[in-house]
Amino acid sequence: MANFVLIAVCIIAGMVFKATKSIHPDAHKGINTWILYLALPAVSFKYLPKVQWMAEMLFPVVATFLISVACFFFMKGYSRYKGYSGRSRSTLELVSGYSNTSFIGFPLVAAFYGENLLSIAVICDQTMFLALSTLGIIAAVKGGSRSGRISAQFILKRLVTFPPLIGCMAALVLSRFIDFSSAEPFFDKLAATVSPLALFSVGLQLKFNGWKKLIPQMSVSMLYKLLLAPALVLGLALLAGIKGDVAKITVFEAAMPTVVTSSIIAEQFRLNTKLTNLTIGFSIIVGLFTSAIWYHLTEFFF
C-alpha cells in the first residue's frame, strides 16, 4: 500500500510544484541527470550480480523488440487508413512502441511483485533502451528529419554513452571479478532514490492542455501500448512455454505507459511534440489502472 501512496504523492507533488511555479521550469532536467548518472546504474549494481542467468532471460529481449516491430506495422496500417503523414505515423510509433520500464515500471513492479524482482525489470529496461535507441531513433529520423537518413555511428554513440547502459554492462562484467556485497548498503541508498525522484520528475513534465483534438491518436496509441502490446507478449510467453517471474515481469513491463524519453526524441527530430507529451501524460494515468489488470492476468496465467 505504501508504494501506491508513494506513486500518487510524488506525481501529484510534481504537478502542484509546476502549477504553482514553486520550482524552476527546467528542474526535471537536473533530477533526470541524477537518476540517469547515479540512481539507475546503482540499481544495476544492486540487482544484476544476483541474477541467476538462464535461457529464459532472453525472453524480455525478444519480447521488447517484438513490441516495437509489431507497432511499426500496426501504426503503418492505421496511418494509411486514416491518411496520416509520415510525421504523424512516426510520432505514433514512438509513443506506442516503447514502455516506461524504469520511471514508472520500477515503482509498480516493486509495488505489485516486490523489490526482489527488480532484477528482471532492469533487463527489460535496458532492452527497451536498446530498442528505443535503434528502432525508435530510425523511426523518428524518417518522420521528422529533412534528410531521412541516419548513420550507424550516431546510433552506436547513443548506446555507448548512455549512463544506465554503461552501469548495466559494468555491473555484469565487474561482478564476475569483484564481490560487491560490502557495497550493497551504498547501492541501496542510491537505488532508493529512483522511484520518488523519477515519479516527481514525471509529475513536473505532465501536460494536458489541448487534448480534445488529439483524442483519436491518443486513443489508438494507448490501445496498442497498454492493451495490445502486453497481450502480444502474454501470447508469446504461452506459446513459448515461458512461465514464472520472468514471464510475469516481462508482460507487466510491456504494459507500462509511454516512455518519457520519447518526448525528448520527438522534439529533437521535429515530430508532433504536443501529441507526444499528451500521450505520455494520459498513458500514465490510464496505465496506473490497467497495470492492476495485467498484474492479475499474469498471476492467473503464470
Side-chain angles (χ1 to χ4, degrees):
M1 184 63 184
N3 284 309
F4 292 103
V5 174
L6 175 70
I7 292 170
V9 169
C10 291
I11 291 179
I12 293 174
M15 295 174 67
V16 171
F17 275 51
K18 179 183 177 181
T20 58
K21 298 182 180 181
S22 301
I23 195 169
H24 193 279
D26 293 329
H28 65 276
K29 296 181 179 179
I31 296 172
N32 291 347
T33 299
W34 171 275
I35 295 170
L36 292 174
Y37 283 83
L38 292 172
L40 286 179
V43 171
S44 294
F45 275 93
K46 178 180 178 179
Y47 293 107
L48 287 184
K50 301 176 184 178
V51 174
Q52 295 181 353
W53 296 99
M54 46 191 172
E56 287 185 344
M57 288 301 183
L58 290 175
F59 180 65
V61 179
V62 174
T64 300
F65 279 92
L66 175 64
I67 290 172
S68 301
V69 173
C71 181
F72 167 78
F73 289 105
F74 181 84
M75 291 306 170
K76 182 179 181 179
Y78 175 76
S79 297
R80 181 176 298 176
Y81 170 74
K82 299 293 277 187
Y84 290 157
S85 64
R87 178 173 177 264
S88 295
R89 189 185 79 183
S90 292
T91 303
L92 287 172
E93 289 178 30
L94 191 62
V95 298
S96 309
Y98 307 93
S99 300
N100 196 328
T101 48
S102 56
F103 284 19
I104 298 296
F106 286 176
L108 288 181
V109 168
F112 281 105
Y113 299 95
E115 292 187 359
N116 59 309
L117 294 188
L118 281 176
S119 57
I120 302 173
V122 170
I123 297 173
C124 294
D125 180 58
Q126 296 304 313
T127 305
M128 190 285 303
F129 171 74
L130 285 172
L132 179 63
S133 297
T134 51
L135 300 181
I137 294 296
I138 292 172
V141 169
K142 288 184 176 180
S145 70
R146 295 175 182 175
S147 64
R149 298 178 181 178
I150 187 168
S151 66
Q153 182 180 2
F154 177 79
I155 295 175
L156 183 62
K157 182 179 179 181
R158 285 187 62 88
L159 289 174
V160 300
T161 57
F162 191 62
L165 183 62
I166 296 173
C168 178
M169 300 306 297
L172 290 173
V173 174
L174 295 178
S175 62
R176 294 178 174 270
F177 308 100
I178 302 174
D179 181 10
F180 288 105
S181 57
S182 59
E184 282 190 13
F186 171 72
F187 294 134
D188 285 343
K189 297 295 183 182
L190 286 179
T193 64
V194 171
S195 295
L197 287 181
L199 294 168
F200 181 66
S201 176
V202 167
L204 289 174
Q205 298 174 76
L206 288 182
K207 299 178 181 179
F208 296 103
N209 56 310
W211 58 274
K212 292 184 179 180
K213 294 182 180 179
L214 295 174
I215 287 178
Q217 294 95 321
M218 288 191 297
S219 297
V220 74
S221 176
M222 288 190 287
L223 170 67
Y224 182 85
K225 181 76 233 36
L226 302 177
L227 297 177
L228 297 182
L232 183 64
V233 177
L234 175 63
L236 178 63
L238 295 175
L239 288 173
I242 306 296
K243 299 180 179 180
D245 294 334
V246 173
K248 290 180 181 180
I249 301 303
T250 303
V251 172
F252 190 76
E253 284 280 42
M256 290 300 99
T258 300
V259 62
V260 176
T261 313
S262 62
S263 175
I264 301 172
I265 296 175
E267 183 177 4
Q268 182 179 1
F269 292 101
R270 303 182 183 91
L271 298 182
N272 190 334
T273 53
K274 187 173 185 178
L275 173 59
T276 304
N277 289 328
L278 283 170
T279 304
I280 290 172
F282 277 98
S283 69
I284 288 175
I285 295 174
V286 178
L288 292 176
F289 294 97
T290 57
S291 61
I293 297 174
W294 285 107
Y295 166 73
H296 290 293
L297 287 173
T298 57
E299 290 293 301
F300 175 79
F301 283 105
F302 306 116

